[in-house]
Amino acid sequence: MSRNPWFRDWFGSEYLALYPHRDRAEARQAVRLLREATGLGPGTRVLDVGCGSGRHLAEMQRVGYRATGLDLSPSMIDAARAALPDCRLVQADMRSIPFRDASFDVVTSYFTSFGYFDDEDDDLRVLSEARRLLESGGWYLLDFLNAAEVVAHLKTEDRRTVSGVDVVQERRLADGGRIIEKRIRIEAHGDASARDFVERVRLYRPEDLAAMLRRAGLTPGPTFGGYNRAPFSSGSPRYIVLAGASE
């Protein structure tokens, strides 16, 4: 019997409560990077894949983009719909997106909404779907972690209190160092029992991602090490790449 994928359980109310610092200010900076790097203005059709509760969508709408959000999690879609009642939102799997070819000028994947699948071919399908949805001349923004930096500064455990609830996070490298696995335990509080979740992300390095983008029909372009548009380097916290959809 196949196990339920970790991402079907984890991205719900617990996730939203645990990461309150991922806020609109950060989203504003992330969307500004997209605007300044592409030069695309109001009216641009953007699909945000893995949109979560909609913080990037809200900023896209603010700058005049025609934004659409997609997420697999019903809880995330509900949260986004409550915050953005006039935004088009779709609950779907990022490997099979229910839109016609060339429906968007930009597809975004913010804050490591990539590398979730056990089979690397499924990650390639995500990139291929992005290319299918893009008009020629469009852009795909992939905002990923810097794998080398994650490995070099792996924090194996941290404990903190969020809204009065104790949370323990344990991290380890799995699959020969190719996956970062985080186990999250939300301790019992009040009438609620302790809950355990897992998060697993494949540690693609920049050269791996560039090769995958090319296989999907996308051409890697400018790279950045953070939302402030700093150039990417080995010590950057993130690896952000803009890939073009050519003819």
Side-chain angles (χ1 to χ4, degrees):
M1 181 182 298
S2 61
R3 59 185 174 83
N4 200 35
W6 65 267
F7 46 83
R8 289 190 176 273
D9 296 325
W10 174 220
F11 292 121
S13 58
E14 294 87 357
Y15 177 88
L16 291 170
L18 190 58
Y19 296 114
H21 60 287
R22 292 173 185 167
D23 58 15
R24 288 285 294 275
E26 184 185 74
R28 187 172 300 115
Q29 196 175 31
V31 173
R32 184 186 302 124
L33 181 152
L34 173 66
R35 287 170 48 223
E36 294 179 351
T38 64
L40 295 172
T44 298
R45 300 168 301 164
V46 185
L47 175 66
D48 188 24
V49 175
C51 67
S53 60
R55 62 196 178 103
H56 296 103
L57 292 171
E59 183 60 19
M60 290 173 187
Q61 287 190 326
R62 190 186 71 80
V63 301
Y65 285 172
R66 293 163 54 194
T68 299
L70 179 140
D71 206 287
L72 182 64
S73 164
S75 296
M76 291 295 183
I77 291 292
D78 287 346
R81 184 169 290 118
L84 303 164
D86 59 342
C87 186
R88 181 167 64 162
L89 297 162
V90 177
Q91 182 188 344
D93 191 311
M94 65 179 71
R95 292 168 292 185
S96 181
I97 298 176
F99 291 111
R100 294 190 300 271
D101 296 0
S103 294
F104 297 94
D105 305 304
V106 175
V107 175
T108 58
S109 176
Y110 277 115
F111 207 77
T112 316
S113 299
F114 183 76
Y116 290 176
F117 301 107
D118 289 339
D119 189 337
E120 293 183 45
D121 286 343
D122 281 332
D123 290 330
L124 181 60
R125 285 176 61 192
V126 173
L127 301 182
S128 297
E129 276 292 87
R131 174 61 188 93
R132 180 183 68 78
L133 294 171
L134 284 170
E135 284 272 18
S136 294
W139 291 99
Y140 176 60
L141 183 147
L142 177 59
D143 168 21
F144 199 63
L145 50 77
N146 180 357
E149 185 70 2
V150 168
V151 172
H153 297 97
L154 182 66
K155 188 174 184 180
T156 57
E157 181 178 311
D158 66 68
R159 297 170 180 265
R160 58 196 174 109
T161 302
V162 180
S163 301
V165 180
D166 293 331
V167 179
V168 181
Q169 298 184 115
E170 298 178 341
R171 300 172 185 83
R172 72 180 185 98
L173 298 177
D175 192 25
R178 301 181 66 208
I179 289 174
I180 178 73
E181 180 178 281
K182 180 165 65 176
R183 294 190 173 272
I184 306 103
R185 182 170 182 82
I186 301 173
E187 301 290 3
H189 61 285
D191 295 331
S193 301
R195 287 156 293 166
D196 294 282
F197 300 93
V198 175
E199 184 175 299
R200 289 168 57 90
V201 176
R202 192 169 295 278
L203 290 174
Y204 290 114
R205 300 185 184 261
E207 57 270 26
D208 302 325
L209 292 171
M212 291 178 72
L213 288 165
R214 292 189 183 97
R215 286 178 63 193
L218 293 157
T219 302
T223 61
F224 308 94
Y227 302 132
N228 61 356
R229 294 191 64 194
F232 176 76
S233 69
S234 60
S236 295
R238 307 202 61 73
Y239 176 72
I240 302 169
V241 57
L242 274 167
S246 56
E247 294 284 352

